[in-house]
Amino acid sequence: MKMDFHCHTTASDGALPPEQLIDLAVQHEVKCLAITDHDTTAGYESVIEYAQNNKVQLISGVEISCDWRGSTIHIVGLDVDVANTELQQGLAKIRTSRWQRADEMVAKLESRPNFNVPQFGEKLQAMVGEGVVGRGHFAQLLIEENLVKDAAQAFDRYLKKGRVGYVKHLWPPLADVVQWIIQAGGVAVIAHPKVYKMTSRKLNFLIADFKQAGGQAIEVVNQPRLSSEITGMADRANAHGLAASLGSDFHRPEHHWRGLGWLAPMPSNVMPVWMLFKTSVETIKK
Ligand code: MN
Ligand code: MN
Ligand code: MN
């Protein structure tokens, strides 16, 4: 039985509309799924019934960007009440600021004399649609316009710090974001801890601050990871008294190394995050 508590749809920067994501979950035999779009719960909300009809148990979720001592950290909120006002107001504010940043990024790119993509801003808006704009969309558009060959090159040449398209974004503080999730009755999870490339010591500081703020879990299993990294992260979760989550961070089918539900098994020595859900995970009940 497979579970996946981290993935994206067209409601943020994923390639598949929410219904197609559910179809893929069925195809990959993922029985329990949390859709965790960036800073929105709209994708999840749109397929609650569709998932039920297809016998996929959906757990509500969201992935929220925040600031911790100058670093951008992603916090996944699981099993949240999506009707919670504080959570939704926080997310709405982030979405507004994301478009402000995107507009500044477009202006910076277009200010470069040899940047010849007519109507870049309009194309970006069309691509994002009702979704939540992010640098991933910029990367995708730069690929489609044949300015770069892949997303890594897009970040390297245009989007990362120090490049022409980079605009610093001021995210809400980590403690605020954890509070929104707690207010909404959910479980806060540090997403993909290895992605931040922190020293072990710094990661321990992050975890300590996160725990202090009320955070309860850390992603221990995600892709692509060595099994030694998974057991190491499991030990770290246990040392800090945190539960362990698992998630592929699926964005698009062509990223075959991050397939929906294609995850290593959860180590047996951890407290699995679903033990903290108010919703009981049906596939676990024997
Ligand atoms: Mn993303
Ligand atoms: Mn993330
Ligand atoms: Mn993600």
Side-chain angles (χ1 to χ4, degrees), residues 49-223:
E49 231 188 279
Y50 187 77
Q52 245 166 24
N53 295 340
N54 285 279
K55 300 196 167 52
V56 174
Q57 186 184 14
L58 264 194
I59 301 294
S60 58
V62 63
E63 179 175 18
I64 312 177
S65 301
C66 64
D67 175 77
W68 175 73
R69 303 186 188 205
S71 302
T72 302
I73 304 294
H74 290 177
I75 301 295
V76 163
L78 296 175
D79 202 30
V80 290
D81 172 12
V82 293
N84 183 270
T85 314
E86 193 175 338
L87 173 66
Q88 290 299 346
Q89 280 175 351
L91 298 180
K93 225 170 121 181
I94 296 183
R95 292 195 297 269
T96 306
S97 67
R98 275 176 171 275
W99 267 118
Q100 286 164 352
R101 177 184 63 160
D103 291 342
E104 285 177 52
M105 288 171 67
V106 171
K108 284 191 77 181
L109 286 168
E110 285 179 338
S111 73
R112 210 161 98 153
N114 57 352
F115 187 80
N116 281 322
V117 182
Q119 299 185 304
F120 190 86
E122 284 82 353
K123 284 175 182 163
L124 182 76
Q125 281 188 12
M127 173 180 269
V128 177
E130 297 287 298
V132 175
V133 68
R135 287 191 296 172
H137 291 106
F138 281 81
Q140 197 59 31
L141 189 51
L142 292 167
I143 295 167
E144 283 175 20
E145 295 290 330
N146 295 315
L147 270 81
V148 293
K149 65 172 165 59
D150 57 23
Q153 204 175 62
F155 276 83
D156 250 25
R157 293 194 182 167
Y158 292 96
L159 303 174
K160 74 176 185 189
K161 201 168 180 175
R163 295 292 182 246
V164 62
Y166 180 80
V167 174
K168 187 168 170 55
H169 192 282
L170 293 173
W171 303 106
L174 172 93
D176 290 11
V177 165
V178 172
Q179 268 313 305
W180 301 344
I181 294 167
I182 292 171
Q183 289 282 321
V187 179
V189 184
I190 297 177
H192 42 60
K194 288 278 177 186
V195 165
Y196 315 115
K197 299 192 167 67
M198 288 177 180
T199 60
S200 175
R201 197 177 137 79
K202 194 170 178 191
L203 183 56
N204 282 338
F205 279 133
L206 166 65
I207 293 172
D209 281 356
F210 169 75
K211 213 185 154 171
Q212 175 89 30
Q216 290 181 285
I218 185 162
E219 262 178 19
V220 164
V221 179
N222 44 35
Q223 291 292 24

Side-chain angles (χ1 to χ4, degrees), residues 6 8 12-14 36 38 63 74 98 136 249-251 258:
H6 188 159
H8 298 269
S12 63
D13 59 351
T36 55
H38 296 284
E63 179 175 18
H74 290 177
R98 275 176 171 275
D249 205 4
F250 172 86
H251 279 75
R258 263 199 220 164

